[in-house]
Amino acid sequence: MNVLSSLQPILNEVKQRFGERLNAVVSPRANEVYVHAKMDLVAGFCAHLYRKWKARLVSLFADDARPSDGVFHLYYVFALDAAHSFITLRVPVSPEQPEFTSLTNALPSVNWQEREIQDLFGLKLIGHPNPRRCALHDDWPEVYPLRKNFELRTKLPPFEGERHHFRTVEGEGVFQVPVGPVHAGIIEPGHFRFSVAGEPVLYLQIRLFYTHKATEKLFENLPVQHCVRLAESISGDSGFAHATAFCHAVERLAGVEVPPRARVLRSICLELERLYNHIADIGAICTDVAFVTAHMHAMRLKERVLRVNETLTGNRLLRGMACLGGVRFDWDHDQLKTLAQLVAELKPEFESLVKLIEGSSSTLDRLEHAGVLKPEVARDLGVVGIAGRASGFDHDLRRDFPHAAYDQVKVHVPVYQVGDVEHRMQVRIDEVRESLSLIEQFTARLPNGPLSVELGELPADSVALGYVEGWRGEIFHWIRTAPGNRLARCKVKDPSLQNWPAMSEAILGNIIPDFPVVNKSFNLSYSGTDR
Amino acid sequence: MFEILRKSLGTGVVTTSYPATPPEVSIRARGRPEIDWANWKDARPAATICPTGAIDFKDTAVARTASLDLARCIFCGLCADVDKAIRMTNVCECAARSRNDLMTSASYSLRPDGTHDRLVSPPTTEKTQHGQLSASQRESLEVIGEQIKLRADKIFGRSLHIREVDAGSCNGCEVEIVGLNSPVYDIERFGIHFVASPRHADMLLVTGPVTRNLELALRKTHNAMPDPRLVVAVGACGCSGGIFGQNYATVGAVDAVLPVDVYIPGCPPNPHALLHGILLAMGRVSQPSTSGQVT
Ligand code: SF4
């Protein structure tokens, strides 16, 4: 298979530079290349791709390939935005010496990803600054759930209470405020521990993975068509995006092209998902600074979108719409009219909501300069999505790696440098406008034709990366197949996993009462992180 | 300020009159699946395609018992795609007081080729009727709704307070529960409020297949509530463990951890379904309590 012409020079240079040390270079798809090498190459390879080619490490995960290859594999997935391609470095880890070298000191964005591998696969981290457990909590027995010889339905001994020790922060007048895992509002569970001196926050420790529910292991135990429904439940508010990312991976692996009409319908659904979530967030940010009127109007608009979702797909959260090879339901004339009405109605209604918010100086006052995430910090942490764009990161898979039907439109990506709550809200406002315009463009050129293609039997032991720009940011699903239309591994990467640590940075120096609004302005998924 | 007033007046009242009127759901909405039990010829295709095992069957040499478990159903409609005896309705008011009320099963004589023919024992009657609620049911629901304030006054002292706990959900249920506070569903018109502290709460609304990492937090929250207290399990995961079931990381259904008063099926249940379930639980307060603490 030939690789993209934009990728070829990079590959040539890499091959020349690392020569003999690359064991193999495989390109199953034009924009997806795998490089096999030994562990000692990782740091150098990674640094080289970063410096020379401005690559980003977008996912790092392990796979238990002992049954077939006798080793564990580590995968380092790099995105080359300018070349619209992915290069993945694969290195073996022998079961006799199950350990790997940490990159966290050089690359803080992989901190949790590395620790998750250590927890779930039992591969020991060497040189990590804080190699404590994260995915499995402290009271778990010594088990490695993602190893192949661990059964999904294993019954573990019951929970025996809290044993986690938070880091102490010392100094005169410094005290800690524990919050969670059950929060005050109707939101997901996690624990935040603030160290404060008076009001300003000195340090925030975040403990997550409370909603870890064996999702990735479950993928290995379900027939592949059932996995689409599981993917919908990775993060409910991004159900369609996750399911589509999963389908994308399987379709790429099977080498099929989704029919044009299905690609457009997928894109519209992705925009509808963006719409209802962005509008809800804009309202929720307002309510966290006590502007409840705006929140109520936003909730009313969100309800409008959810009802149209139901008319279009049978489910308010777009569940059941995604399927392998395309989409499940077509839309007739009436349904498309309902969609057009929604867009026409939402445009002035949304502008009037924005005007209401912008007219409230007490609201803007609270949002400005709150929870600042500086561009350089965001870059180090690899922050993506809304929060990334509010902090200077000009990137969007819809534009840089066009999937679904995004190659047929021009996607404008809002980018700001300030990185405060106000600008994270501004990114949402800009994106709502853009979504409305994209839906119009897509419906105007909706092609006729079939809704899905047959995939047939999937080839065993093949790999593929699926990707979708969800409303929160980039979503990746990486799969490896087993015989009999099953999966040997499905690695799910929600943008939240990458973005959580940025909260700890953004809240520094702010006061605790501002935490809710800073948190809301990121609005990260706990379930998507914990899986 | 003037702008705010002008906008609010211009918007007018947007609140639904549910439960006095039927749920405002699209005819295309996928609610509970309905099986034509008498004419069902083969449970196997639907059971094979059902991602959660909501449709299931057990065979002996000559007989087959087929079942539909609404607590597991995620309303995906895949069964109806492969089986003409199954139809998706848009009925969303499915909440029930007992797990058994959500389970329907029937026995058939089994043929050698694996299909079944004669209905040996008809489907067990369910408490909730097929199809839309009848006028009298709706009336009684409306009466419940209207009585809530009175009853809440009497038992809970003026209002009912709900503490919501996510015990491991995907957050889909939360998207809809938040909607109850929107001006469209406006749950506060019933005197029902969502509160931050379990100590202020009369009802625990729980979502998610309870994860191992949250079981303790869920128990602690429940223990912190004053008696009498109600527990409502929300969504396929809360009702049955859903697609996750029980595994190394999840305990499964909420009733594996706490006694549950009402189950609200759905994936996620829409705000009407949630309201229906909460009202149903409220009605329960007048029933004699086994702990004898309700007076
Ligand atoms: S609608 Fe319910 S019963 Fe039918 S396939 Fe889906 S989950 Fe199973």
Side-chain angles (χ1 to χ4, degrees):
Chain A
M1 156 88 70
N2 285 329
V3 300
L4 289 185
S5 54
S6 51
L7 178 61
Q8 198 60 60
I10 303 176
L11 268 191
N12 293 344
E13 194 271 346
V14 167
K15 276 187 199 159
Q16 201 170 26
R17 180 174 172 107
F18 294 101
E20 297 285 277
R21 300 174 72 194
L22 305 181
N23 296 341
V25 178
V26 201
S27 51
R29 273 154 294 277
N31 68 349
E32 187 182 352
V33 169
Y34 291 78
V35 170
H36 301 179
K38 294 252 165 53
M39 179 73 79
D40 57 10
L41 194 71
V42 173
F45 189 83
C46 181
H48 180 71
L49 277 190
Y50 255 80
R51 280 195 211 111
K52 172 110 186 148
W53 298 108
K54 307 263 174 294
R56 301 183 291 125
L57 184 52
V58 294
S59 189
L60 161 54
F61 55 91
D63 179 24
D64 183 0
R66 287 177 300 165
S68 51
D69 300 308
V71 289
F72 294 96
H73 280 133
L74 290 175
Y75 289 86
Y76 299 78
V77 184
F78 299 90
L80 296 156
D81 298 322
H84 315 297
S85 306
F86 299 98
I87 294 187
T88 300
L89 177 65
R90 189 187 90 174
V91 300
V93 177
S94 90
E96 286 75 42
Q97 205 187 345
E99 52 183 46
F100 67 114
T101 321
S102 168
L103 294 180
T104 298
N105 284 321
L107 208 63
S109 66
V110 296
N111 178 351
W112 286 8
Q113 302 186 55
E114 289 187 340
R115 284 158 70 184
E116 194 186 325
I117 294 173
Q118 176 170 262
D119 287 1
L120 298 172
F121 286 89
L123 307 183
K124 202 169 158 356
L125 268 169
I126 308 294
H128 192 287
N130 178 24
R132 299 200 293 174
R133 280 193 178 187
C134 74
L136 306 184
H137 284 185
D138 306 74
D139 72 306
W140 283 56
E142 283 297 311
V143 290
Y144 306 117
L146 284 186
R147 287 191 176 189
K148 289 283 174 269
N149 50 354
F150 183 89
E151 281 293 318
L152 170 71
R153 310 279 172 199
T154 307
K155 219 171 145 47
L156 298 178
F159 192 97
E160 277 176 357
E162 203 82 13
R163 280 210 281 119
H164 189 77
H165 296 293
F166 288 90
R167 290 179 165 179
T168 54
V169 174
E170 288 167 354
E172 193 165 312
V174 176
F175 58 97
Q176 294 199 329
V177 182
V179 177
V182 178
H183 296 305
I186 304 170
I187 55 166
E188 299 178 78
H191 185 96
F192 301 105
R193 187 156 294 219
F194 301 92
S195 300
V196 292
E199 289 220 88
V201 178
L202 297 178
Y203 182 45
L204 166 63
Q205 299 176 64
I206 302 177
R207 188 181 188 218
L208 293 181
F209 293 91
Y210 283 92
T211 68
H212 176 67
K213 39 193 175 286
T215 307
E216 287 181 5
K217 187 80 176 180
L218 199 48
F219 272 109
E220 299 170 18
N221 281 259
L222 291 175
V224 80
Q225 72 274 19
H226 289 181
C227 292
V228 183
R229 307 278 79 84
L230 179 60
E232 282 177 347
S233 297
I234 290 165
S235 181
D237 54 20
S238 310
F240 189 78
H242 266 290
T244 305
F246 176 77
C247 293
H248 192 222
V250 179
E251 288 149 9
R252 279 164 64 91
L253 191 139
V256 302
E257 186 75 37
V258 173
R261 187 173 179 88
R263 287 167 54 195
V264 175
L265 295 188
R266 272 185 181 178
S267 309
I268 296 175
C269 287
L270 287 170
E271 295 309 320
L272 286 167
E273 195 161 83
R274 190 179 315 275
L275 267 186
Y276 86 75
N277 281 295
H278 277 1
I279 292 174
D281 280 353
I282 291 166
I285 289 172
C286 289
T287 213
D288 277 342
V289 294
F291 190 16
V292 179
T293 314
H295 185 203
M296 289 297 154
H297 283 293
M299 288 223 267
R300 182 170 61 82
L301 300 186
K302 170 191 164 192
E303 177 68 19
R304 278 285 290 127
V305 182
L306 292 184
R307 288 193 178 184
V308 171
N309 286 352
E310 187 176 72
T311 307
L312 295 174
T313 68
N315 184 282
R316 290 158 54 91
L317 303 191
L318 306 162
R319 283 176 183 238
M321 178 66 170
C323 74
L324 294 173
V327 291
R328 273 177 70 204
F329 311 111
D330 205 353
W331 302 341
D332 61 20
H333 180 73
D334 283 352
Q335 284 164 300
L336 287 169
K337 219 169 94 191
T338 308
L339 179 63
Q341 263 166 8
L342 174 77
V343 174
E345 218 176 281
L346 225 45
K347 272 187 172 171
E349 284 263 23
F350 182 71
E351 290 310 326
S352 125
L353 173 65
V354 172
K355 210 170 128 223
L356 197 65
I357 297 168
E358 285 173 350
S360 165
S361 49
S362 60
T363 301
L364 295 184
D365 211 39
R366 290 280 308 276
L367 307 183
E368 262 177 81
H369 311 306
V372 174
L373 180 68
K374 294 213 179 74
E376 49 283 18
V377 180
R379 196 178 341 108
D380 283 351
L381 292 174
V383 173
V384 295
I386 303 159
R389 294 195 269 277
S391 294
F393 180 35
D394 184 7
H395 170 66
D396 190 318
L397 291 183
R398 292 177 296 170
R399 183 195 62 198
D400 305 330
F401 292 82
H403 47 85
Y406 288 111
D407 54 351
Q408 297 163 25
V409 291
K410 197 161 166 12
V411 181
H412 298 278
V413 183
V415 182
Y416 297 95
Q417 306 294 327
V418 190
D420 59 358
V421 174
E422 190 193 7
H423 285 84
R424 282 187 284 277
M425 181 151 95
Q426 191 58 48
V427 169
R428 288 180 169 92
I429 292 173
D430 296 349
E431 289 191 0
V432 166
R433 292 173 177 149
E434 181 70 7
S435 284
L436 289 169
S437 141
L438 288 175
I439 291 175
E440 274 179 338
Q441 296 177 48
F442 283 131
T443 37
R445 61 180 72 174
L446 185 59
N448 288 320
L451 285 185
S452 64
V453 285
E454 280 293 323
L455 261 58
E457 181 89 9
L458 299 177
D461 202 25
S462 305
V463 296
L465 182 70
Y467 47 89
V468 157
E469 184 77 27
W471 65 271
R472 226 181 229 116
E474 54 190 32
I475 294 172
F476 295 106
H477 281 227
W478 182 87
I479 55 170
R480 182 165 70 87
T481 44
N485 258 355
R486 295 241 164 198
L487 297 177
R489 176 91 170 98
C490 177
K491 166 66 193 177
V492 176
K493 171 78 193 308
D494 187 270
S496 309
L497 179 70
Q498 197 103 349
N499 286 9
W500 271 112
M503 282 263 294
S504 295
E505 299 291 335
I507 195 64
L508 293 187
N510 289 250
I511 58 176
I512 289 192
D514 272 341
F515 180 72
V517 73
V518 174
N519 188 14
K520 202 64 201 178
S521 72
F522 280 88
N523 190 10
L524 303 175
S525 167
Y526 298 69
S527 184
T529 305
D530 305 350
R531 287 152 284 133
Chain B
M1 196 63 213
F2 176 72
E3 194 44 45
I4 294 174
L5 269 174
R6 206 176 57 88
K7 177 138 180 73
S8 297
L9 291 174
T11 307
V13 177
V14 294
T15 310
T16 165
S17 44
Y18 181 86
T21 49
E24 296 151 20
V25 295
S26 157
I27 43 157
R28 293 194 165 91
R30 277 188 313 279
R32 62 182 292 155
E34 206 171 80
I35 300 180
D36 179 3
W37 296 91
N39 296 309
W40 204 13
K41 290 284 168 262
D42 195 349
R44 290 171 305 170
T48 311
I49 200 136
C50 178
T52 59
I55 291 183
D56 201 6
F57 63 89
K58 278 201 185 61
D59 287 352
T60 63
V62 291
R64 165 174 292 162
T65 307
S67 56
L68 168 65
D69 183 0
L70 261 199
R72 283 183 190 280
C73 181
I74 55 171
F75 299 4
C76 63
L78 289 166
C79 52
D81 285 354
V82 300
D83 194 332
K84 279 199 282 301
I86 304 176
R87 181 177 79 88
M88 296 307 285
T89 71
N90 69 346
V91 177
C92 62
E93 295 159 305
C94 304
R97 288 192 180 132
S98 132
R99 180 76 167 74
N100 287 340
D101 294 346
L102 296 171
M103 186 77 154
T104 316
S105 59
S107 304
Y108 299 85
S109 58
L110 187 60
R111 296 170 33 179
D113 66 356
T115 59
H116 41 79
D117 49 9
R118 208 161 36 77
L119 206 51
V120 179
S121 67
T124 49
T125 27
E126 300 153 77
K127 294 245 171 86
T128 32
Q129 301 281 307
H130 289 298
Q132 293 285 356
L133 292 193
S134 67
S136 67
Q137 280 174 316
R138 184 157 305 290
E139 218 164 81
S140 70
L141 200 59
E142 192 185 346
V143 172
I144 292 175
E146 278 170 8
Q147 283 175 351
I148 279 180
K149 242 187 147 221
L150 286 175
R151 198 177 284 143
D153 277 0
K154 202 164 129 223
I155 296 161
F156 295 117
R158 296 199 175 276
S159 60
L160 179 92
H161 287 175
I162 304 179
R163 172 63 252 194
E164 196 265 354
V165 171
D166 176 340
S169 88
C170 70
N171 80 28
C173 288
E174 277 65 28
V175 171
E176 293 293 43
I177 294 172
V178 166
L180 292 177
N181 277 327
S182 75
V184 180
Y185 298 98
D186 186 23
I187 196 169
E188 301 209 344
R189 70 196 147 112
F190 301 108
I192 301 174
H193 305 270
F194 283 94
V195 294
S197 168
R199 300 202 190 280
H200 304 160
D202 313 300
M203 177 186 285
L204 197 59
L205 198 65
V206 192
T207 64
V210 183
T211 63
R212 191 179 188 280
N213 287 340
L214 282 166
E215 187 187 345
L216 183 70
L218 178 61
R219 282 187 201 281
K220 280 188 177 174
T221 307
H222 186 248
N223 288 343
M225 293 169 70
D227 267 329
R229 54 196 170 188
L230 296 165
V231 179
V232 175
V234 176
C237 293
C239 292
S240 70
I243 199 163
F244 297 97
Q246 275 181 331
N247 62 50
Y248 75 85
T250 62
V251 182
V254 174
D255 64 11
V257 180
L258 299 176
V260 170
D261 296 278
V262 160
Y263 299 80
I264 308 180
C267 189
N270 67 31
H272 294 102
L274 291 165
L275 221 39
H276 170 253
I278 292 168
L279 297 188
L280 191 72
M282 289 298 293
R284 178 177 174 109
V285 172
S286 63
Q287 289 181 1
S289 157
T290 42
S291 67
Q293 279 170 342
V294 178
T295 51

